[in-house]
Amino acid sequence: MTMSQQPPSRRDARPPASRFSAMFRRTTPAAWLGFAIVVLYGLIALFAPLIAPYGEAQVVSSVPFAPWSQSFLFGTDQLGRDVFSRMIYAARNTIAISLAATVLTFAVGTTLGIVSAVAGGIVDMVISRIVDAVMALPQLIVILVLLSVVGSSVVSLIVIIGIADATNVFRLSRSVAMNVAVMDFVEDARVRGESLTWIVFHEVLPNILSTLVAEFGMRFCFVVLTISALSFLGLGIQPPTADWGSMVRENATLISYGDVTPLLPAAAIAVLAIGVNFVVDWFLHYASGLRDDQ
Amino acid sequence: MRLILKTILERMALAVLTLFIVSVLIFSSVALLPGDFAKAVLGQSATPETVAAFQKQVGLDRPASERYLVWLGGAVKGDFGNSFSSRPGAERSVVSIIKPRLWNTLILAGLTAAVAIPLAISLGIAAALWRNSWFDRSVNAGTLTTISVPEFFVAYVLILLLAVKFPVFRPLSTVRPQMGFAETLENLALPVITLTLVITAHMMRMTRAAIIGVLGSPYVEMARLKGAPPLRLVLRHALPNALAPIANVVAFNLAYLIVGTVIIEAVFVYPGIGQALVDAVRTRDVPVVQACALLFAVTYILLNLIADLVAIATNPRLLHPR
Amino acid sequence: MTNEDVLLSIADLKVEAETDDGWQPIVNGVSLTLRKGEVLGLIGESGAGKSTIGLAAMGFTRPGCRIAGGTVTFDGIDLLKLPPAQLRAMRGTRIAYVAQSAALSFNPAHRIMDQTIETAVLDMGVPRRQARQDALDLFRQLQLPDPERLAERYPHQVSGGQLQRAMTAMAMTCRPDLIVFDEPTTALDVTTQVEVLAAIRKAVQQHGTAAIYITHDLAVVSQMADRILVLRHGSEVEEAPTRQMLAAPREDYTKSLWSVRHLHKPAAPRDDVILDMRNVDAAYGKFKVLDDITLSVPRGRTLAVVGESGSGKSTLARVVSGLLRPEKGEVLFKGAALPPVVEKRSREQLRQIQLVYQSADTALNPRQRVGDLVGRRLELYFGMKGREKERRIGELLDQVELGAHHIGRFPAELSGGQKQRVSIARALAAKPDLMICDEITSALDQIIQGEILKLLMQLQRETGVSYLFITHDIATVRAIADEVVVMNRGKIVQQGPKDTVLSPPYPPYTGRLLDSVPEIDPDWLTRLLARRQGGEPDGSSPLPQG
């Protein structure tokens, strides 16, 4: 009796209707909060120009670092621009760039990972060695090195972060794809004469989709944090484009006066990251039948 | 014994090879230099003569492989060449920029590691033992929040609370060689606390998962059925098998530590390697960037090697082959 | 039965397990009593609740389970009401447990001796030296070779059968009143199983220990138990002293548990040959797995390849199906040479040879419905589409007695036997000439095994398909084969028509193999051991009827 293979999860087999109601019953308050946050941020990003009271780079006041008031909800920054409006535009910029980078990461990482797992042999060995070498450096260092060479523009940020993070996605997709690739039903596909493409799309992919979706959420969070950190260091999104990270840096002196304004953009990042984490947690626990202690 | 020796040597050789490949990667990033790089460093109004002199200085007129070997040879001896901020008559070697800051960063990272590692591991074990208790749940929620927020957020909150509202510590950290031990500690307190919080959060979660994994094994269940009390279960049955996963967790998170120092040094204006790296990236000072990157790489690879060796040393299948 | 004799009394035990739909009962009010020194056999198919009851006898439930009612009284003490510390004190010392897999239940980080005497030294205060001596004595009693060296070894350095006996010794170190044996020989080869059974029975009798012996194998339990309790879906079916139950079972379910062993197919002679293997060698890296294999599968008949783990029988299936390239030799299909790997074979060649796997859990893609699983080969080999394909899928599902209404279901909604029927149906969809069945009934419960075997026979009659049937179970060979090949360590030991192979005289390995198969006869083990002690060669006993 072979004990080496674990049969895949049973949960997904129930008919769709009862699955939805089961999911519904199991959604925790944390998950609802996460959904609310994600939807809110999404709306803000989409409709930024309609929501923000002032322009992104518009100088609205001759008073820099003005206190919170009715006309300027969170006061003004070091150049006299409205902090509230800039935060809204920052949402759009950060989310757009992070989404683009994450999509790139996934396109590259999952393709390479699944092909590596299914094809095996030399292909797998070569790609894995290259990825291992790149991963021998902490990710931020890789990004910094590349940034020092090509400079920080929107395109370079998306491409560099996208490629750097693809190594993690590669490892994960390769690992889950391999778990599926050793299953008898994949071998059965090979024995009956299916092509590699068919095996990847029809046999392997449907079984790893839920893991990949969860990972997309996690990677998105990570990219948001990375971009914010880079902007905070002055190496990310360049002014005058609004970005939460650089806004923190620009207004940091206020901290020494006990003013929490610089914390607001940082809190905005934090809330988004927490919200996405909650949604991913919900997805992992209830929608896909995976548990965090396995 | 021979099998273990062979495995250890294999891992060390692999580490050296990886380091070699990484050095090539770091170096070859210079090959991406776009055409107007010189202008970006020297300024838009640089004259063609200055640009040519710069290019000669950087060595862009020589083939890549020759440049690489020169660089590597120098690196091994501890000479990374001159910084791009050098000007004729005011040479600044990379080493002179980095050396003092290296020590500072080591102090910061070392202190943090000394506090964070025992704290995280004990919290992780405790959370795993009292799984799903209020203790476990609250610690989980706390750490999830901490790892979700940017490090500078944590840093500024702590500054706000502990340096501004309640002046316990200083908001900025300077370290001078003449400082006494106590004064150094006082200056470093906030950065160390911030870093500790972030690292501990990551490490604790992973330790918890590793222990839960081991606690779920059949041989731990067997020990329960033999009537072993909880303490013996953990110490005698679970822990010896958890050492390897925990070593991996620690190594992985010490990498986080390396990266974390970059941000924290920026927030607290702390003169360490992280700051040097960031400044160098901003001014496109490639030799300094390469040297810092190489240093980080060496540390990272070394940490992973140690974790690997711990895993080997605690694996009975390797210690006592069939 | 007097009250002083009763050691363990379980009354109306109810156990529930946590599932997606809340707490579901897995044991429904089971009661049993056990006297001192008595062995009770708990028998049933998977999911019957035997392990759960065995663990409950120690007051233990696995995570995700809870005891919902009833009492467990051990020597007058209600275990379920005992404070945790006292319950722990009783485990290992008065009640001990022997798990199914010794390889997984020993801690890989400690030596065998240290783990064996742990409870005695730490919980009962036995001096270390005395405990070591006692443990070595127990190893000797359990017929472990070279006990001193074995004790200093780590678990991964020792074979499965020896570990199982070491675990039994570990259970006995504190001389418990009761030992719960949870399927201790299920994972072992038949030939190893005999030694372990003999050792356990001897040790239990010698120390007068009471035991609960859990298994799904009726033949095994008849050797070990004084009384048998039959379980099904968490409820009692029947209970009686062993000889009485074997001679005259009351319930239909009990009777059906034996039916597999009575299946017998009269062997038919061969016409011509559909598959021919000549001097085939195969290896995994440097490790040679098949050595000079020459055999042939007759058309429209069943060739059974029987052997234990490591015999190479599964590798044989992989070579024929093109998953492993042979190092030497050739394989001829319908007279023509077969390309050694799948990638070089034509679609027609692939269609004509179909492989069915042992475990349908991993052989069926969980994200595809039954209709897709069965229908893919119709698309691939015959280009069928739409209504024509649907109709044919329905026919196939009817042919395997599954019913067309399952067409929209996912594998997880089906039982083990139903999933295997789907596997067979999809192989049939290709209209193959040869079906390779790689232990396809080994993972199923005994009653379902019988049904699947009958189905396979019917399909052979209807379609004339040939079977290359890989198995480790002699009863299955008797039930289904026309010709038999016996394999040991990569070599063919014996081959020929079934009746010839399964009758004396036997080459040594075949003799040992056949002798090791337990019979549903309480005296079988005793007789076998007596014969071996008397120096008689294996295979000299007459085979039972049926």
Side-chain angles (χ1 to χ4, degrees):
Chain A
M1 204 182 296
T2 42
M3 308 247 205
S4 50
Q5 293 175 346
Q6 282 297 318
S9 161
R10 304 174 75 92
R11 281 189 192 234
D12 314 275
R14 269 178 295 164
S18 88
R19 267 174 69 201
F20 270 126
S21 56
M23 266 164 43
F24 213 73
R25 263 185 282 128
R26 292 212 152 126
T27 314
T28 61
W32 283 122
L33 181 63
F35 278 123
I37 292 176
V38 170
V39 167
L40 179 67
Y41 273 71
L43 289 174
I44 293 180
L46 272 175
F47 299 114
L50 301 175
I51 306 179
Y54 301 100
E56 184 176 357
Q58 191 183 353
V59 177
V60 294
S61 163
S62 52
V63 182
F65 296 133
W68 299 14
S69 66
Q70 252 192 332
S71 39
F72 312 123
L73 267 176
F74 291 143
T76 61
D77 68 358
Q78 87 281 21
L79 291 182
R81 298 174 291 199
D82 178 32
V83 170
F84 183 60
S85 306
R86 278 181 64 82
M87 276 183 63
I88 292 179
Y89 276 103
R92 162 183 274 216
N93 297 327
T94 308
I95 293 180
I97 296 184
S98 305
L99 216 50
T102 315
V103 167
L104 179 63
T105 293
F106 254 74
V108 173
T110 39
T111 315
L112 286 180
I114 298 182
V115 166
S116 221
V118 176
I122 295 225
V123 172
D124 182 23
M125 227 173 43
V126 167
I127 300 184
S128 292
R129 289 297 136 251
I130 297 179
V131 171
D132 279 347
V134 174
M135 288 187 87
L137 272 176
Q139 206 169 310
L140 190 63
I141 308 296
V142 171
I143 297 175
L144 289 177
V145 169
L146 290 174
L147 278 180
S148 75
V149 171
V150 297
S152 314
S153 67
V154 170
V155 171
S156 69
L157 275 175
I158 293 179
V159 170
I160 291 178
I161 296 182
I163 306 276
D165 212 14
T167 52
N168 284 311
V169 176
F170 168 83
R171 279 240 172 119
L172 177 80
S173 11
R174 177 177 176 276
S175 152
V176 289
M178 285 204 106
N179 284 338
V180 174
V182 296
M183 291 276 173
D184 286 335
F185 62 81
V186 172
E187 191 178 79
D188 179 77
R190 198 180 141 214
V191 171
R192 66 176 185 258
E194 302 282 11
S195 66
L196 187 66
T197 332
W198 205 97
I199 295 182
V200 166
F201 282 102
H202 286 91
E203 302 287 350
V204 177
L205 204 52
N207 283 295
I208 62 176
L209 213 49
S210 50
T211 314
L212 291 182
V213 170
E215 186 65 12
F216 189 89
M218 307 269 291
R219 288 290 125 211
F220 175 74
C221 263
F222 184 78
V223 169
V224 168
L225 289 173
T226 306
I227 288 187
S228 310
L230 287 174
S231 305
F232 174 75
L233 294 173
L235 303 170
I237 299 178
Q238 298 296 309
T241 315
D243 172 85
W244 289 320
S246 43
M247 283 174 72
V248 173
R249 184 174 51 98
E250 288 161 3
N251 299 308
T253 40
L254 284 178
I255 292 270
S256 16
Y257 299 105
D259 191 337
V260 298
T261 314
L263 287 183
L264 291 174
I269 305 170
V271 169
L272 175 60
I274 293 178
V276 174
N277 264 325
F278 280 163
V279 172
V280 168
D281 242 11
W282 164 85
F283 184 79
L284 281 177
H285 276 172
Y286 302 113
S288 64
L290 301 169
R291 300 203 165 279
D292 76 313
D293 41 36
Q294 268 176 347
Chain B
M1 249 325 143
R2 206 174 288 178
L3 181 61
I4 265 215
L5 223 57
K6 180 162 165 267
T7 320
I8 292 181
L9 285 174
E10 262 174 20
R11 291 297 156 85
M12 294 181 74
L14 200 62
V16 172
L17 180 66
T18 313
L19 191 52
F20 184 70
I21 297 180
V22 166
S23 71
V24 172
L25 284 176
I26 294 179
F27 184 81
S28 54
S29 60
V30 179
L32 292 169
L33 285 176
D36 58 350
F37 177 80
K39 288 229 167 125
V41 173
L42 297 171
Q44 287 300 330
S45 51
T47 61
E49 294 89 33
T50 335
V51 170
F54 177 73
Q55 284 182 328
K56 184 135 180 278
Q57 177 196 356
V58 170
L60 280 173
D61 51 339
R62 287 223 180 79
S65 46
E66 190 187 325
R67 275 187 280 137
Y68 170 68
L69 287 171
V70 167
W71 177 68
L72 194 62
V76 169
K77 277 184 270 167
D79 170 22
F80 288 94
N82 285 340
S83 151
F84 278 2
S85 58
S86 315
R87 297 287 172 266
E91 314 270 305
R92 295 184 70 203
S93 74
V94 171
V95 176
S96 67
I97 298 178
I98 293 184
K99 202 153 166 215
R101 295 171 173 232
L102 181 60
W103 186 236
N104 291 339
T105 302
L106 283 178
I107 299 180
L108 178 60
L111 276 177
T112 307
V115 173
I117 295 180
L119 183 64
I121 294 184
S122 6
L123 275 181
I125 295 181
L129 279 180
W130 289 296
R131 194 156 117 198
N132 291 329
S133 64
W134 65 264
F135 172 74
D136 181 35
R137 277 193 240 255
S138 47
V139 170
N140 254 326
T143 51
L144 186 61
T145 318
T146 313
I147 68 173
S148 306
V149 308
E151 293 102 333
F152 51 85
F153 181 64
V154 178
Y156 281 125
V157 167
L158 283 179
I159 291 182
L160 197 65
L161 287 176
L162 294 175
V164 179
K165 295 276 193 216
F166 308 105
V168 180
F169 298 109
R170 298 192 199 173
L172 297 180
S173 317
T174 21
V175 180
R176 288 183 300 276
Q178 314 90 302
M179 271 189 192
F181 187 63
E183 203 187 341
T184 315
L185 271 187
E186 198 198 334
N187 265 324
L188 284 178
L190 267 185
V192 170
I193 293 178
T194 314
L195 261 182
T196 306
L197 269 178
V198 175
I199 301 296
T200 306
H202 277 112
M203 242 194 290
M204 183 240 110
R205 292 175 73 80
M206 295 170 79
T207 308
R208 175 183 176 275
I211 303 275
I212 286 180
V214 173
L215 282 179
S217 337
Y219 52 83
V220 170
E221 181 179 271
M222 189 70 212
R224 277 206 186 94
L225 289 166
K226 284 201 296 191
L231 199 60
R232 200 198 307 168
L233 266 181
V234 173
L235 292 179
R236 198 184 136 82
H237 288 275
L239 215 49
N241 292 295
L243 285 176
I246 290 183
N248 268 318
V249 167
V250 171
F252 187 81
N253 282 285
L254 288 181
Y256 259 125
L257 180 57
I258 294 174
V259 165
T261 56
V262 175
I263 305 284
I264 295 301
E265 286 178 12
V267 172
F268 290 96
V269 196
Y270 182 76
I273 290 257
Q275 268 244 337
L277 178 57
V278 171
D279 289 337
V281 173
R282 206 177 294 136
T283 56
R284 318 281 282 274
D285 194 346
V286 175
V288 177
V289 171
Q290 289 178 333
C292 289
L294 200 62
L295 276 174
F296 279 118
V298 168
T299 319
Y300 192 46
I301 294 177
L302 199 64
L303 286 173
N304 278 319
L305 180 65
I306 295 179
D308 253 353
L309 293 179
V310 169
I312 293 175
T314 54
N315 184 345
R317 276 169 221 265
L318 286 174
L319 286 169
H320 311 270
R322 262 176 168 257
Chain C
M1 183 172 357
T2 67
N3 271 349
E4 284 110 51
D5 276 344
V6 171
L7 180 66
L8 176 74
S9 166
I10 297 182
D12 200 32
L13 180 70
K14 293 196 182 61
V15 182
E16 292 173 347
E18 195 172 16
T19 65
D20 294 340
D21 307 304
W23 290 95
Q24 300 291 328
I26 50 175
V27 177
N28 299 311
V30 169
S31 307
L32 63 87
T33 43
L34 190 66
R35 270 180 296 172
K36 296 195 172 104
E38 186 181 30
V39 179
L40 173 69
L42 275 187
I43 186 166
E45 297 177 307
S46 51
K50 339 184 263 299
S51 263
T52 317
I53 296 178
L55 289 170
M58 306 179 67
F60 186 85
T61 49
R62 290 222 161 100
C65 293
R66 67 173 180 204
I67 297 187
T71 56
V72 176
T73 315
F74 179 80
D75 204 14
I77 310 169
D78 187 343
L79 290 183
L80 301 179
K81 293 208 171 53
L82 216 52
Q86 291 185 30
L87 189 55
R88 269 203 304 271
M90 293 193 77
R91 292 195 191 131
T93 53
R94 296 200 65 194
I95 319 178
Y97 181 81
V98 173
Q100 175 170 354
S101 168
L104 295 176
S105 302
F106 269 103
N107 192 325
H110 295 294
R111 293 178 207 270
I112 294 181
M113 176 54 86
D114 295 325
Q115 298 182 53
T116 307
I117 60 176
E118 176 186 334
T119 318
V121 169
L122 297 174
D123 292 321
M124 288 185 69
V126 176
R128 212 183 171 81
R129 184 167 299 185
Q130 184 184 328
R132 287 183 65 95
Q133 262 315 109
D134 184 54
L136 289 173
D137 282 336
L138 280 170
F139 287 163
R140 267 183 277 269
Q141 277 179 36
L142 287 158
Q143 278 144 2
L144 281 168
D146 205 353
E148 283 87 0
R149 282 228 356 243
L150 186 111
E152 295 310 310
R153 288 227 157 98
Y154 284 87
H156 67 273
Q157 298 173 302
V158 172
S159 78
Q162 292 179 344
L163 270 182
Q164 209 69 24
R165 280 173 276 175
M167 190 159 57
T168 309
M170 179 164 79
M172 305 192 92
T173 47
C174 297
R175 301 294 182 276
D177 301 307
L178 167 65
I179 300 183
V180 177
F181 290 94
D182 196 345
E183 305 234 35
T185 59
T186 300
L188 302 174
D189 282 331
V190 208
T191 46
T192 321
Q193 177 174 255
V194 173
E195 287 155 17
V196 178
L197 288 178
I200 292 179
R201 197 169 73 167
K202 181 165 160 223
V204 165
Q205 278 169 355
Q206 205 159 344
H207 296 275
T209 321
I212 295 181
Y213 197 96
I214 300 175
T215 177
H216 65 279
D217 190 332
L218 199 52
V220 165
V221 83
S222 356
Q223 312 311 314
M224 311 298 289
D226 302 316
R227 273 187 306 128
I228 299 180
L229 170 62
V230 180
L231 289 167
R232 187 183 192 206
H233 296 323
S235 308
E236 296 170 48
V237 172
E238 190 177 341
E239 194 225 313
T242 308
R243 285 178 198 276
Q244 183 183 320
M245 178 171 296
L246 297 177
R250 284 196 314 271
E251 303 291 329
D252 287 334
Y253 178 71
T254 322
K255 292 181 199 166
S256 69
L257 279 180
W258 310 358
S259 64
V260 185
R261 301 192 170 259
H262 296 258
L263 268 179
H264 180 78
K265 176 196 188 206
R270 54 163 59 188
D271 287 327
D272 61 337
V273 160
I274 193 164
L275 182 83
D276 215 339
M277 286 179 81
R278 295 186 185 160
N279 306 105
V280 170
D281 270 9
Y284 285 122
K286 284 196 227 140
F287 189 63
K288 195 171 210 174
V289 190
L290 290 179
D291 195 350
D292 199 32
I293 302 292
T294 302
L295 59 83
S296 53
V297 179
R299 185 192 294 268
R301 308 276 181 266
T302 305
L303 174 69
V305 176
V306 64
E308 300 178 293
S309 56
S311 58
K313 52 192 199 299
S314 277
T315 315
L316 204 140
R318 293 178 74 77
V319 168
V320 176
S321 53
L323 290 167
L324 179 65
R325 177 193 289 269
E327 310 255 310
K328 249 177 37 195
E330 54 175 0
V331 180
L332 299 170
F333 182 69
K334 286 185 178 169
L338 203 55
V341 275
V342 167
E343 283 77 22
K344 297 229 170 62
R345 294 186 185 177
S346 72
R347 195 157 270 190
E348 257 305 284
Q349 282 170 327
L350 292 174
R351 178 189 72 78
Q352 292 170 331
I353 304 181
Q354 291 293 317
L355 178 60
V356 183
Y357 289 90
Q358 172 177 355
S359 167
D361 282 333
T362 51
L364 300 177
N365 191 329
R367 302 279 171 160
Q368 289 178 1
R369 297 171 199 271
V370 169
D372 301 318
L373 291 165
V374 175
R376 179 59 191 160
R377 279 165 167 83
L378 295 173
E379 280 173 23
L380 196 59
Y381 296 133
F382 305 116
M384 276 194 200
K385 287 191 277 273
R387 189 147 299 172
E388 191 198 355
K389 188 177 83 166
E390 288 244 352
R391 210 181 23 87
R392 179 76 187 126
I393 296 177
E395 278 173 19
L396 287 163
L397 289 177
D398 282 332
Q399 209 173 1
V400 295
E401 292 162 11
L402 195 56
H405 59 278
H406 288 278
I407 216 173
R409 289 230 171 123
F410 285 103
E413 302 172 64
L414 305 175
S415 74
Q418 288 173 321
K419 283 192 274 219
Q420 206 62 305
R421 286 176 202 267
V422 171
S423 275
I424 295 172
R426 78 171 172 182
L428 271 184
K431 291 209 173 91
D433 294 297
L434 173 67
M435 256 173 72
I436 307 174
C437 302
D438 191 354
E439 302 244 36
I440 66 175
T441 51
S442 307
L444 300 172
D445 287 330
Q446 287 181 318
I447 296 183
I448 315 281
Q449 277 189 28
E451 291 171 14
I452 298 285
L453 291 176
K454 282 193 215 142
L455 172 67
L456 287 173
M457 292 294 91
Q458 185 176 321
L459 290 171
Q460 192 172 56
R461 283 193 295 272
E462 283 174 14
T463 64
V465 66
S466 320
Y467 292 132
L468 177 59
F469 201 94
I470 316 271
T471 181
H472 66 275
D473 182 39
I474 301 288
T476 310
V477 173
R478 242 175 243 138
I480 196 176
D482 296 299
E483 300 182 12
V484 181
V485 165
V486 180
M487 286 185 71
N488 184 26
R489 290 191 225 230
K491 291 192 171 59
I492 294 186
V493 167
Q494 191 183 11
Q495 58 183 321
K498 174 169 70 180
D499 298 322
T500 316
V501 171
L502 295 184
S503 323
Y506 308 111
Y509 176 72
T510 314
R512 200 168 79 233
L513 184 65
L514 290 174
D515 266 2
S516 304
V517 179
E519 308 293 333
I520 306 185
D521 173 357
D523 303 313
W524 167 79
L525 185 62
T526 321
R527 274 184 286 123
L528 175 65
L529 294 172
R531 274 207 319 278
R532 286 197 177 158
Q533 267 208 315
E536 289 175 37
D538 285 319
S540 42
S541 71
L543 279 180
Q545 307 306 308

